[in-house]
Amino acid sequence: MIDVKDFGEKAKLYCLKNKNGMQVSLTDFGARVVEVLLPVDENGGLRNVSLAAKSDDDYRKTDLYPGSSIVPVAGRISGAQAEIKGTSYQFTENEPGRTLHGGIDTANEQYWDVALDHEKNQVTFGIVLKDGFNGFPGDVRVEAIYGLTDQNELTVDYRAVSSKDTIFNPTNHIYFNLSGDFQQSVADHEIRIEANRYAPLGEDNLPTGVLEDVTGTPFDFREGARFAQGFDSQHPQNILVKGYDHPWLLEQVEVPVEVSSPDGKISLRVRTNQPSVVIYTYNYPVEALATYHGAFSLECQALPNACNLDGFGSILLEKDEEFLSQTVYRFSW
């Protein structure tokens, strides 16, 4: 049974539980993950490993991104524009000369429709992005589908259909700290990424348009390494963003990303049908929620700004074509 509670004056909180004692709470405000609770503490308590605020209003006052659904396009779009099948579209700028995470007042700030499937232990959030909203063409019907399995898997699916040719590249913006203490740096978390190449950024925090070999750099996590290798680095890319805020092009393997907690109690394994992962290490913290480097994201998606860069793939969503992405976060303890 999916429990439903109030989450502020307007939002609701939906709690999924599995037979192993794991819990995931979700809210219709931004179709977001609020908490991921694992039964790992010695006193029988639950450890929350997902950065969370206390209500919809608290997210508005602190940080609107944690756990939220980012649609229609995650990341930054250069020039706040793109050409779609020969037609140029101008999008809303919410950074100088750029569109970030779909623009202003977008889906992560809205209340989504909700459908519960108690039998599947699944919550489906839905929204329609109207034609022309923030400059993006098409009425785009989006579903964010979250499930919790008895294999301790949090599944995150995005489905979408547009009434016009458009661009679409969603992700979930969940932030993790597997220690459960968001006032503690994630420097000692060990991460393995099956990726031979990553995308360097320019001064505008946009990919430069090249994919560089990770060999011999702090971006090489193929054998597993601590986040600290980048935090302590003098590499220009780490200095630029004060840590990591980069896309890695994933190899086509079953589990391309794995993270372990410093105490060795928790392992997080990620599967996805998306070609890249963007990892951000909370380099510009909202201290009411987490400290500097107190969390990390694993944003599975197409490469950012693919609409404006050759060789970065396509994020075109054609009229009436169905988009489907899936990312699975599997926890072990």
Side-chain angles (χ1 to χ4, degrees):
M1 195 71 179
I2 300 171
D3 294 333
V4 183
K5 305 174 184 178
D6 290 334
F7 191 60
E9 291 189 8
K10 187 174 180 181
K12 296 292 184 182
L13 195 69
Y14 304 87
C15 185
L16 307 177
K17 302 177 183 179
N18 72 7
K19 67 179 184 180
N20 305 314
M22 180 177 169
Q23 299 181 27
V24 174
S25 61
L26 311 158
T27 181
D28 51 348
F29 178 63
R32 80 183 66 227
V33 178
V34 179
E35 292 183 323
V36 176
L37 298 161
L38 307 178
V40 296
D41 288 349
E42 294 176 0
N43 60 5
L46 295 169
R47 180 187 295 187
N48 175 39
V49 297
S50 170
L51 184 64
K54 298 176 181 178
S55 67
D56 52 354
D57 188 53
D58 196 25
Y59 279 107
R60 292 187 190 279
K61 290 177 179 177
T62 56
D63 188 344
L64 283 161
Y65 291 128
S68 67
S69 291
I70 305 297
V71 294
V73 176
R76 293 175 172 86
I77 300 174
S78 59
Q81 63 83 37
E83 186 175 292
I84 302 172
K85 288 196 171 181
T87 300
S88 182
Y89 292 89
Q90 193 70 37
F91 311 126
T92 302
E93 287 185 20
N94 55 340
E95 288 190 347
R98 303 181 293 277
T99 300
L100 173 64
H101 290 330
I104 60 172
D105 298 323
T106 193
N108 68 320
E109 302 180 47
Q110 306 302 320
Y111 296 88
W112 295 46
D113 297 331
V114 184
L116 306 182
D117 189 325
H118 297 277
E119 185 176 341
K120 292 182 178 179
N121 207 24
Q122 185 173 281
V123 179
T124 298
F125 298 108
I127 198 170
V128 178
L129 306 176
K130 293 293 187 181
D131 183 23
F133 179 66
N134 279 338
F136 292 90
D139 287 335
V140 185
R141 298 183 179 276
V142 185
E143 289 183 336
I145 306 161
Y146 296 97
L148 176 61
T149 74
D150 286 335
Q151 289 71 48
N152 303 321
E153 294 177 335
L154 167 60
T155 61
V156 183
D157 292 13
Y158 288 104
R159 293 179 181 168
V161 176
S162 176
S163 65
K164 294 181 179 179
D165 294 333
T166 192
I167 52 175
F168 195 73
N169 184 21
T171 197
N172 181 275
H173 214 292
I174 190 170
Y175 290 117
F176 295 106
N177 185 319
L178 300 183
S179 77
D181 182 359
F182 290 89
Q183 297 306 316
Q184 175 180 308
S185 170
V186 298
D188 288 333
H189 284 59
E190 181 155 318
I191 181 168
R192 177 184 59 81
I193 311 173
E194 295 288 349
N196 297 323
R197 294 180 293 170
Y198 81 103
L201 307 179
E203 293 291 336
D204 55 4
N205 288 325
L206 280 156
T208 61
V210 301
L211 293 169
E212 290 192 357
D213 192 331
V214 300
T215 302
T217 77
F219 295 84
D220 190 350
F221 289 99
R222 290 173 294 187
E223 299 298 322
R226 296 182 306 139
F227 277 118
Q229 80 171 8
F231 298 168
D232 299 337
S233 165
Q234 293 303 304
H235 191 286
Q237 283 291 304
N238 296 124
I239 293 172
L240 175 67
V241 299
K242 301 183 179 180
Y244 293 104
D245 190 11
H246 296 78
W248 279 258
L249 186 65
L250 297 173
E251 296 298 299
Q252 298 303 303
V253 297
E254 184 178 2
V255 181
V257 182
E258 183 173 7
V259 188
S260 300
S261 61
D263 62 8
K265 288 186 176 181
I266 299 172
S267 175
L268 169 57
R269 293 160 63 89
V270 180
R271 303 195 314 271
T272 186
N273 66 355
Q274 295 302 286
S276 77
V277 62
V278 175
I279 298 178
Y280 172 61
T281 50
Y282 219 56
N283 310 320
Y284 300 90
V286 177
E287 294 184 358
L289 296 181
T291 192
Y292 178 58
H293 291 162
F296 64 91
S297 69
L298 299 172
E299 303 164 44
C300 297
Q301 59 183 84
L303 286 166
N305 202 31
C307 53
N308 290 321
L309 293 173
D310 293 335
F312 265 46
S314 173
I315 58 170
L316 173 68
L317 178 59
E318 295 186 317
K319 176 183 177 181
D320 298 330
E321 176 188 355
E322 184 180 36
F323 174 93
L324 176 61
S325 71
Q326 182 175 76
T327 298
V328 178
Y329 301 101
R330 182 169 186 168
F331 297 86
S332 302
W333 60 86

